[in-house]
Amino acid sequence: MSRQFIIFIFLTLLSFSGQAKLLLEIPDEKALDNEEVQVFLPSSYNTSGDRMYPVIYLLDSSPFYKGDFAKEGVETIRQLELLHDFPETIIVHLKFENLYQAVTTKRKVLNSWFQYVVQPEFKEQYRALNKSVFIGFSYSAAWTSAELALSDSQITELISVSPVFDSINYVQLPAKEISNVSNLTIIYGNEEARMIETFEPIWEKLGLDKRVKVYTLEQENHQSVYLPGLRKGLLKAFRDYQGPSYKQLASESWTPAMVDEYFASRYEHYNVKSTLEELSHLSTMIAKTLTERGDLVLAKQHWNRSNSPHKRYFIEQISDKLKASGQIELADKVTKLADSVELHDEEE
């Protein structure tokens, strides 16, 4: 029986009881003391052929977090995938028996082990895209923002939620001034933004200052900020996957070519093919906003790309809304538009 088939059976069984979890295989000679690297695969992993996935790394926070750090983090990410324009991801949880020591006195060892053991072994064993996000919380976030952010890492996005540094000596100018990190997002609750003023000259010296964003969630404290901070940071990190917002559509004139370019870019960066349903949904959204604005020539192009069985209903609603606001002439033009767009059997 092949290893792939065994894994498939294992994942199928786990899917009935919860999130599928595997352990990354690391040779004994490359292992750290009592570490465990858990891998959570998306539901489509074993049915998607050769599709590759972006990776989210979670560096353990226990015992600093009062909840179940990994379980709640994985559930939050899966909810993002379900409820938002957010890609399916592989989640990797780095779990340590003595985390505090790993991210303080032994952080150089942790940095080297992660970059030269964990990442290569993971890419060897799983189908991973280059897009990767690393998340730290509390003392873990100190290592994420001070050590990993200023080193030669393959990570593309870093998120540090409420970082706590053990001393002023934690933040120092690295001997090797290299960083491939695209963005560093730091998120605090309603607390002191610890040692940010120490970081600022280092970021500026390394030319990273424009890549660093610091946010404060005023309704959260150090303990409660983890999950909302995780959501905010990840939505920002994967903004290029998401389609245009209603606010964007209301102020920009999206053409059919722009829609095609968006889906082509998403496929290039995330290995996700567009579906007819997605194309129809986005075309309908754009058509509605353009119709409300009175850009009826461009709106008609999008209405004709929409497969929605409710096109006439949407257009008539917009016409009624325009009449109620006193825009009678535009309302009449919108009514005529309903007679000119291509309808589907459900509407005819």
Side-chain angles (χ1 to χ4, degrees):
M1 186 178 292
S2 69
R3 178 174 180 269
Q4 288 80 5
F5 187 65
I6 293 173
I7 291 175
F8 176 76
I9 294 175
F10 180 61
L11 293 178
T12 302
L13 292 172
L14 278 178
S15 66
F16 292 98
S17 58
Q19 173 66 48
K21 178 178 69 177
L22 299 170
L23 294 180
L24 183 67
E25 297 176 7
I26 296 177
D28 291 341
E29 66 273 14
K30 296 181 179 180
L32 292 183
D33 294 335
N34 301 313
E35 100 291 341
E36 187 174 272
V37 182
Q38 303 171 340
V39 180
F40 299 84
L41 298 176
S43 58
S44 67
Y45 187 87
N46 289 285
T47 60
S48 59
D50 59 354
R51 177 179 165 186
M52 302 176 74
Y53 295 81
V55 185
I56 297 175
Y57 291 94
L58 295 173
L59 179 55
D60 200 13
S61 261
S62 179
F64 310 114
Y65 182 57
K66 294 179 180 178
D68 188 327
F69 176 81
K71 179 176 181 292
E72 294 172 10
V74 170
E75 288 176 350
T76 296
I77 294 168
R78 295 302 184 223
Q79 286 177 349
L80 288 176
E81 296 172 3
L82 181 66
L83 302 176
H84 292 264
D85 286 337
F86 196 90
E88 287 186 292
T89 62
I90 301 175
I91 305 169
V92 181
H93 174 220
L94 284 73
K95 185 176 179 60
F96 290 83
E97 184 173 291
N98 192 337
L99 177 75
Y100 180 77
Q101 186 180 51
V103 297
T104 54
T105 60
K106 292 188 176 181
R107 64 183 190 268
K108 294 291 183 184
V109 175
L110 172 59
N111 191 52
S112 179
W113 178 74
F114 173 68
Q115 292 189 60
Y116 303 117
V117 176
V118 174
Q119 284 188 286
E121 290 290 344
F122 175 77
K123 290 191 174 183
E124 178 70 24
Q125 297 175 42
Y126 296 94
R127 301 193 304 272
L129 289 170
N130 289 330
K131 176 81 173 189
S132 54
V133 182
F134 199 102
I135 296 149
F137 169 67
S138 190
Y139 283 95
S140 301
W143 178 80
T144 306
S145 51
E147 194 72 45
L148 193 57
L150 301 176
S151 62
D152 186 11
S153 170
Q154 297 178 40
I155 295 295
T156 56
E157 303 267 349
L158 292 173
I159 300 172
S160 295
V161 182
S162 193
V164 175
F165 303 90
D166 65 325
S167 74
I168 190 70
N169 295 325
Y170 202 111
V171 185
Q172 53 190 320
L173 189 66
K176 191 177 183 181
E177 298 180 4
I178 296 177
S179 179
N180 294 325
V181 175
S182 299
N183 295 289
L184 168 59
T185 300
I186 300 178
I187 302 170
Y188 288 100
N190 54 5
E191 56 195 299
E192 178 188 0
R194 306 172 188 87
M195 299 177 68
I196 285 293
E197 67 282 354
T198 310
F199 266 113
E200 289 174 344
I202 296 178
W203 292 332
E204 186 174 359
K205 182 177 178 59
L206 297 179
L208 296 175
D209 48 319
K210 292 182 173 59
R211 302 187 222 171
V212 180
K213 299 294 182 183
V214 181
Y215 299 94
T216 300
L217 304 183
E218 294 290 353
Q219 301 302 313
E220 310 297 339
N221 56 43
H222 177 62
Q223 281 292 330
S224 68
V225 75
Y226 166 52
L227 293 180
L230 180 67
R231 288 174 58 88
K232 182 176 181 65
L234 285 174
L235 286 171
K236 177 180 177 294
F238 288 96
R239 181 65 190 89
D240 60 337
Y241 181 90
Q242 300 159 36
S245 64
Y246 177 80
K247 184 177 181 180
Q248 283 180 280
L249 295 180
S251 60
E252 302 173 4
S253 295
W254 272 60
T255 64
M258 291 169 67
V259 173
D260 294 340
E261 288 170 6
Y262 157 67
F263 283 118
S265 175
R266 192 183 72 171
Y267 178 72
E268 178 184 356
H269 292 100
Y270 291 97
N271 204 209
V272 176
K273 295 180 180 178
S274 61
T275 64
L276 291 176
E277 182 181 5
E278 287 180 312
L279 175 60
S280 175
H281 176 70
L282 182 53
S283 296
T284 303
M285 286 179 57
I286 296 173
K288 289 169 68 174
T289 56
L290 289 171
T291 302
E292 291 172 352
R293 281 194 354 223
D295 192 346
L296 303 187
V297 174
L298 187 55
K300 182 177 178 180
Q301 297 178 37
H302 289 285
W303 282 122
N304 286 336
R305 295 183 109 202
S306 165
N307 291 325
S308 170
H310 310 297
K311 287 193 281 188
R312 182 180 292 279
Y313 169 75
F314 291 142
I315 295 173
E316 289 176 349
Q317 270 204 328
I318 294 171
S319 178
D320 290 343
K321 181 180 177 181
L322 291 169
K323 287 178 183 177
S325 65
Q327 302 179 68
I328 306 301
E329 183 178 352
L330 178 56
D332 290 341
K333 291 180 180 179
V334 169
T335 299
K336 293 177 181 177
L337 174 66
D339 296 325
S340 68
V341 300
E342 298 173 9
L343 302 179
H344 296 279
D345 293 340
E346 292 88 341
E347 295 182 291
E348 293 174 347

